[in-house]
């Protein structure tokens, strides 16, 4: 007992020191430079004490580097300057040279760091051009250099000459980055720890509730009450897809990460249309599945612990739903690959209103550059072809896309905001993410008439879909089994899941021309201006 008490006392003293170290000043008014920062010594504490403290200081968001600027070939009087996490005064500039004897030579990035806040801290940086990404860390106050022995041809030489080398700071420092990794890693694990981590992340960064529902957590559905066009909103909270959806929810403001749609054939059999179904080869495709097969999988085989809500169409909307046209579209897409081409573009509508800090277009470009080097085929599928379509070009890889954008007097952040067009055809056909597939079916079935020609559904997120005023608004017309046994009567039918699903803004917005083409989406409120 004495050992436990002393540990708690030590922890209390330690936390007090943290508060002191961040706010103390000398009697003379100057800031005290401690020989070490308390946070730098956290790993020396027992794990049961250090990790809770670290968890209060950092989060998974701290894994994201912050863009501090681009270092160019400037004079010493016109250099890039910024404040770091460890070193408070920093400058950088690029010196061109031809030590390699190549046609366009190379360069040296000079970085001068000073005014560290403690003797034990360090700053970690990522450096990027469209052709390369590298990193380094600095522990000592002095001038450091990073060598680029030879530029990757004329294109990189001209780019650095005009735009410089992009510099990103890991704001959390070494320990904060390691702790942030500790928070983000479990998001993708198929464990109870992973599930709890996803819930904690969404509570912390989005304000989600996750109130537990009374059992049973699976509804005894009468399939005859489900109709063509009824929407399925799905939220996965563990495993690979759970982690991916958590990050998707955070950046876009949606409270569901996947979607599907119900269809009845001419014989009355119920089917589910879904973009993102994993086939036997492990590929994500668009598929038409019998309801019984789809529901059996979700009940017994989907290890992501899916929470599922059925959103019945309003009777007036259902009357407009052209079932023949819907089936024609669904069959034309059956078996095609999932719509990776346009997945990220439904999220990015504005230059700076869709990136939760410290995310920004510079970081997006750098992440793309990394993927372009590691998995060029994957990068081409995810964004290269879509970016080419926005430029009206063909076959340019990412570095050439960035250079071409600059040549036209534009910028990469503006290029990302150009709206996706539903009629664009990619090398593997029309591209439809899970929500684009559902809404394109709605479009073909007449639900967006008479403004369908001015609606690009590939610009919609899942949130943009469930806020459409398409769904039942009279609780008395919902199926009798809808939310049966729940003490809270939702305006839709949750049919699976331990936690009560939230769909903020559900069924409130009438469609309008060019809907969702210019909408910001910043957490935690995710406010959107009228008619964006």
């Amino acid at each position: 007992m004495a050992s436990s008490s002393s540990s708690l006392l030590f922890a209390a003293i330690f936390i007090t020191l943290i508060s002191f170290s961040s706010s103390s000043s000398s009697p003379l008014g100057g800031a005290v430079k401690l020989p070490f920062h308390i946070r730098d010594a956290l790993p020396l504490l027992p794990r049961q004490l250090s990790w809770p403290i670290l968890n209060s200081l950092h989060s998974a968001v701290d894994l994201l580097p912050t863009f501090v600027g681009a270092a160019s070939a400037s004079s010493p009087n016109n250099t890039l300057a910024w404040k770091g996490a460890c070193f408070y005064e920093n400058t950088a500039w690029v010196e061109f040279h031809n030590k390699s004897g190549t046609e366009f030579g190379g360069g040296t990035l000079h970085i001068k760091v000073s005014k560290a806040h403690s003797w034990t801290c360090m700053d970690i940086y990522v450096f990027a051009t469209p052709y390369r990404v590298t990193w380094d860390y600095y522990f000592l106050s002095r001038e450091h250099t990073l060598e680029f022995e030879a530029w990757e041809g004329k294109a990189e030489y001209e780019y650095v000459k005009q735009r410089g080398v992009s510099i990103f700071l890991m704001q959390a420092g070494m320990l904060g980055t390691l702790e942030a990794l500790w928070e983000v890693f479990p998001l993708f694990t198929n464990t109870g720890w992973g599930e709890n981590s996803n819930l904690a992340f969404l509570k912390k960064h989005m304000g989600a509730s996750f109130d537990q529902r009374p059992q049973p957590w699976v509804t005894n559905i009468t399939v005859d009450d489900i109709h063509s066009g009824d929407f399925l909103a799905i939220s996965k909270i563990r495993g690979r897809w759970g982690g991916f959806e958590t990050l998707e929810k955070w950046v876009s403001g949606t409270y569901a990460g996947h979607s599907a749609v119900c269809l009845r054939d001419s014989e009355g059999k119920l089917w589910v249309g879904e973009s993102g179904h994993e086939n036997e080869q492990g590929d994500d495709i668009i598929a038409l599945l019998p309801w019984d097969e789809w529901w059996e999988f979700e009940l017994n085989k989907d290890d992501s612990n899916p929470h599922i809500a059925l959103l019945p169409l309003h009777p007036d909307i259902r009357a407009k739903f052209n079932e023949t046209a819907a089936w024609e579209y669904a069959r034309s897409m059956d078996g095609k690959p999932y719509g990776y081409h346009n997945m990220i573009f439904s999220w990015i509508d504005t230059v700076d209103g869709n990136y939760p800090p410290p995310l920004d277009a510079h970081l997006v470009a750098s992440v793309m550059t990394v993927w372009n080097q590691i998995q060029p085929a994957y990068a081409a599928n995810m964004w290269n072809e879509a970016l080419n379509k926005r430029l009206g070009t063909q076959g340019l890889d990412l570095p050439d896309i960035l250079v071409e954008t600059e040549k036209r007097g534009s910028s990469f952040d503006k290029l990302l905001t150009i709206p996706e067009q539903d009629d664009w055809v990619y090398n593997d056909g029309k591209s439809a993410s899970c929500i684009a597939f559902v809404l394109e079916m709605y479009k073909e079935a007449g639900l967006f008439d008479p403004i369908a020609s001015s609606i690009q559904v590939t610009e919609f997120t899942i949130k943009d879909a469930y806020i459409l005023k398409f769904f039942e608004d009279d609780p008395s017309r919902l199926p009798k089994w809808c939310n049966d046994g729940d003490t809270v009567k939702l305006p839709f039918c949750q049919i699976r899941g331990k936690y009560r699903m939230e769909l903020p803004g559900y069924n409130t917005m009438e469609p309008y021309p060019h809907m969702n083409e210019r909408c910001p989406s910043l957490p935690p409120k995710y406010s959107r201006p009228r008619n964006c």
Side-chain angles (χ1 to χ4, degrees):
M1 193 69 183
S3 175
S4 175
S5 299
S6 61
S7 296
L8 290 172
L9 177 62
F10 180 53
I13 294 171
F14 202 83
I15 293 169
T16 303
L17 283 172
I18 289 176
S19 303
F20 176 81
S21 71
S22 62
S23 59
S24 61
S25 58
S26 73
L28 298 177
V32 173
K33 179 175 179 179
L34 298 178
F36 66 92
H37 197 286
I38 298 299
R39 281 173 292 193
D40 300 334
L42 280 172
L44 303 178
L45 284 173
R47 183 185 180 282
Q48 63 268 31
L49 297 177
S50 63
W51 280 110
I53 298 170
L54 279 167
N55 275 325
S56 70
L57 298 174
H58 298 291
S59 72
V61 177
D62 294 320
L63 277 176
L64 301 174
T66 298
F67 177 70
V68 299
S72 56
S74 343
S75 66
N77 296 325
N78 186 31
T79 57
L80 173 67
W82 71 95
K83 180 181 178 180
C86 169
F87 296 96
Y88 287 171
E89 291 187 6
N90 307 275
T91 55
W93 67 96
V94 173
E95 175 189 4
F96 287 85
H97 59 66
N98 196 359
K99 298 175 183 177
S100 60
T102 56
E103 183 177 0
F104 298 100
T108 301
L109 175 64
H110 297 265
I111 303 173
K112 188 175 182 180
V113 302
S114 60
K115 301 290 182 68
H117 70 70
S118 81
W119 295 348
T120 57
C121 67
M122 68 174 68
D123 275 336
I124 309 172
Y125 288 97
V126 176
F127 308 99
T129 78
Y131 299 83
R132 70 182 81 207
V133 175
T134 187
W135 71 281
D136 207 346
Y137 63 91
Y138 304 118
F139 182 75
L140 300 175
S141 282
R142 63 178 178 84
E143 183 179 317
H144 304 265
T145 59
L146 182 70
E147 288 295 332
F148 299 87
E149 293 186 8
W151 304 119
E152 296 287 336
K154 182 179 179 181
E156 186 178 29
Y157 167 74
E158 291 290 347
Y159 185 92
V160 175
K161 189 175 179 182
Q162 298 297 323
R163 307 292 300 178
V165 176
S166 295
I167 301 177
F168 300 86
L169 169 69
M170 303 298 290
Q171 286 278 19
M174 178 66 79
L175 291 177
T177 300
L178 290 175
E179 196 283 321
L181 279 170
W182 180 257
E183 184 183 15
V184 80
F185 169 74
L187 298 181
F188 296 88
T189 62
N190 195 2
T191 62
W193 175 39
E195 180 173 313
N196 290 334
S197 297
N198 279 290
L199 300 186
F201 185 98
L202 294 171
K203 288 177 181 179
K204 179 178 180 179
H205 296 290
M206 291 183 69
S209 299
F210 293 104
D211 295 326
Q212 187 169 321
R213 305 164 67 214
Q215 294 198 47
W217 296 329
V218 175
T219 300
N220 186 14
I221 299 169
T222 302
V223 175
D224 291 343
D225 293 329
I226 302 176
H227 304 279
S228 285
D230 288 350
F231 187 100
L232 291 162
I234 304 157
S235 179
K236 304 183 179 187
I237 59 175
R238 67 190 294 170
R240 175 172 59 102
W241 281 112
F244 174 81
E245 285 190 13
T246 289
L247 299 179
E248 175 194 6
K249 292 166 187 172
W250 171 57
V251 299
S252 68
T254 182
Y255 277 63
H258 187 50
S259 57
V261 65
C262 300
L263 275 176
R264 285 198 181 273
D265 63 20
S266 57
E267 298 178 356
K269 182 177 179 179
L270 185 63
W271 296 73
V272 173
E274 179 181 37
S275 179
H277 172 75
E278 186 174 327
N279 64 14
E280 293 179 356
Q281 290 74 41
D283 298 323
D284 295 317
I285 63 169
I286 298 172
L288 297 172
L289 305 166
W291 168 270
D292 291 342
E293 178 183 333
W294 183 85
W295 187 232
E296 165 68 18
F297 178 84
E298 296 303 332
L299 288 182
N300 300 312
K301 299 178 182 178
D302 191 338
D303 59 7
S304 66
N305 193 6
H307 286 53
I308 305 173
L310 178 76
L311 284 47
L313 290 180
H314 188 279
D316 294 343
I317 299 295
R318 184 176 296 128
K320 291 175 61 176
F321 190 86
N322 186 330
E323 209 169 59
T324 302
W327 269 107
E328 185 177 340
Y329 170 74
R331 290 190 177 105
S332 74
M333 299 295 288
D334 189 22
K336 291 188 181 299
Y338 175 82
Y340 286 108
H341 294 292
N342 50 31
M343 183 174 65
I344 69 168
F345 297 101
S346 64
W347 156 46
I348 302 174
D349 289 346
T350 66
V351 169
D352 56 9
N354 297 109
Y355 304 104
L359 263 179
D360 61 11
H362 298 282
L363 181 57
V364 171
S366 293
V367 171
M368 288 181 175
T369 299
V370 171
W371 277 109
N372 196 59
Q373 305 236 357
I374 298 172
Q375 291 190 341
Y378 177 90
N381 191 39
M382 280 288 286
W383 46 70
N384 284 5
E385 194 172 356
L387 293 172
N388 270 279
K389 288 190 176 295
R390 283 161 173 76
L391 284 171
T393 54
Q394 290 185 349
L396 298 183
D397 60 12
L398 183 63
D400 294 333
I401 288 168
L402 295 174
V403 171
E404 179 65 24
T405 303
E406 297 292 342
K407 282 182 180 178
R408 298 186 183 190
S410 186
S411 60
F412 187 67
D413 53 4
K414 292 179 181 177
L415 181 67
L416 291 173
T417 67
I418 295 174
E420 183 81 8
Q421 301 298 301
D422 292 350
D423 59 0
W424 281 349
V425 179
Y426 290 85
N427 61 0
D428 51 6
K430 283 194 172 183
S431 185
S433 64
C434 65
I435 193 57
F437 173 71
V438 175
L439 294 183
E440 187 66 35
M441 184 185 295
Y442 281 6
K443 190 175 177 181
E444 293 293 326
L447 299 195
F448 287 101
D449 289 346
I451 61 170
S453 62
S454 62
I455 293 284
Q456 305 298 332
V457 299
T458 43
E459 282 292 305
F460 284 53
T461 64
I462 297 173
K463 175 186 177 181
D464 298 331
Y466 64 64
I467 67 174
L468 285 169
K469 199 168 177 58
F470 280 178
F471 306 106
E472 182 59 81
D473 57 6
D474 184 348
S476 68
R477 287 198 296 253
L478 292 172
K480 292 182 180 179
W481 45 261
C482 183
N483 301 312
D484 188 31
D486 198 344
T487 53
V488 175
K489 300 303 179 185
L490 298 171
F492 48 82
C493 304
Q494 183 166 347
I495 57 178
R496 190 192 193 284
K498 175 180 178 180
Y499 303 101
R500 192 171 292 115
M501 293 179 69
E502 303 172 82
L503 300 178
Y506 173 69
N507 200 28
T508 57
M509 193 167 294
E510 296 283 356
Y512 55 85
H514 303 290
M515 188 176 189
N516 300 314
E517 293 183 6
R518 292 287 183 265
C519 292
S521 59
L522 290 178
K525 294 184 177 179
Y526 301 98
S527 303
R528 52 179 285 157
R530 184 180 176 85
N531 294 334
C532 64

